[in-house]
Structure formats: C-alpha cells, structure tokens
Amino acid sequence: MINCLIVGLGGAAGTILRYLIGLIPVQERMKFPIKTFLINIAGCFLIGIISALAVKINAGHEKTILLLKVGLCGGFTTFSTFALESATLAKNGNIGISFLYIILSVAIGICAVYAAQFLISK
C-alpha cells in the first residue's frame, strides 16, 4: 500500500508540473504542439537519468526510484495527449506536421534517454 501512495505522490507532482508548463504562453500560430513535445522529451531525459542513477547507486533507494520513475515521470509525460494531437493534426489536413511530430518525438525521446544514461555513466 505504501508503494501506491509513493507512486501517487510522484504522479501528482508530475501532473502539476505538466499543467504549469502547459500554462506557458506560446505563439499560437505554431501548429506543431511544441509544449507537449518538450514535456515528453524532458520526461525521456529525466527517466534516463533516474534509470542510470538507479543502476549506478544500486543501494536501497527503491522507493525513491518508484516515486521518480513511475510516479513523477508517469504523471509528467503525456503520451495520450501526444496521440490525440497527432491524430488531430492529421484529421485537420496537417499530415506532414503530424508525421514530423511523431517521428521527432519518438526519435529524440529515445536519444534523450540514451544521452541521460551516457551522462550519468561517466
């Protein structure tokens, strides 16, 4: 039960942080969903750092890792919003932007995980 509370606490922090970032004013002329893109890339980088540190430290921090990796990153990143924005872009005739958003999000997200793990492993 304590693990559920830990994940919930991290998730609440992640969703509040995501909400606050969503309030940042961005040029609405831009069709590319830049805020969700940046949130997801930052989340990928953060989960890469947390995972690498968990391996490097490897000593009794299971609850902290659970709080940060499952809770915070899970609440912060926005895959469902990413999927909705991708579908909406395509449905509204912006197929090229939708495709670019999908490819960049996945490719740069994976690179962000590797970059974070690389930085921590040094």
Side-chain angles (χ1 to χ4, degrees):
M1 184 59 156
I2 190 74
N3 287 350
C4 290
L5 293 173
I6 289 170
V7 169
L9 180 63
T15 55
I16 291 168
L17 186 56
R18 180 178 72 216
Y19 170 73
L20 292 174
I21 290 172
L23 295 177
I24 296 171
V26 174
Q27 292 285 340
E28 293 302 321
R29 295 177 289 156
M30 191 184 305
K31 291 185 187 214
F32 190 86
I34 191 71
K35 288 188 277 189
T36 303
F37 175 75
L38 292 175
I39 286 167
N40 285 335
I41 298 307
C44 290
F45 189 77
L46 181 60
I47 206 165
I49 288 174
I50 294 164
S51 297
L53 283 173
V55 169
K56 194 172 190 174
I57 294 169
N58 194 23
H61 298 287
E62 294 83 17
K63 299 226 184 299
T64 303
I65 300 303
L66 191 61
L67 174 96
L68 296 173
K69 196 160 84 171
V70 178
L72 182 71
C73 290
F76 181 64
T77 56
T78 56
F79 189 77
S80 57
T81 303
F82 161 71
L84 177 63
E85 288 172 343
S86 299
T88 301
L89 281 167
K91 185 172 126 184
N92 291 340
N94 298 302
I95 295 170
I97 293 173
S98 176
F99 184 71
L100 179 67
Y101 181 44
I102 292 166
I103 296 301
L104 287 177
S105 294
V106 173
I108 295 174
I110 291 169
C111 289
V113 169
Y114 278 121
Q117 291 176 338
F118 175 77
L119 289 173
I120 296 300
S121 69
K122 284 186 144 189

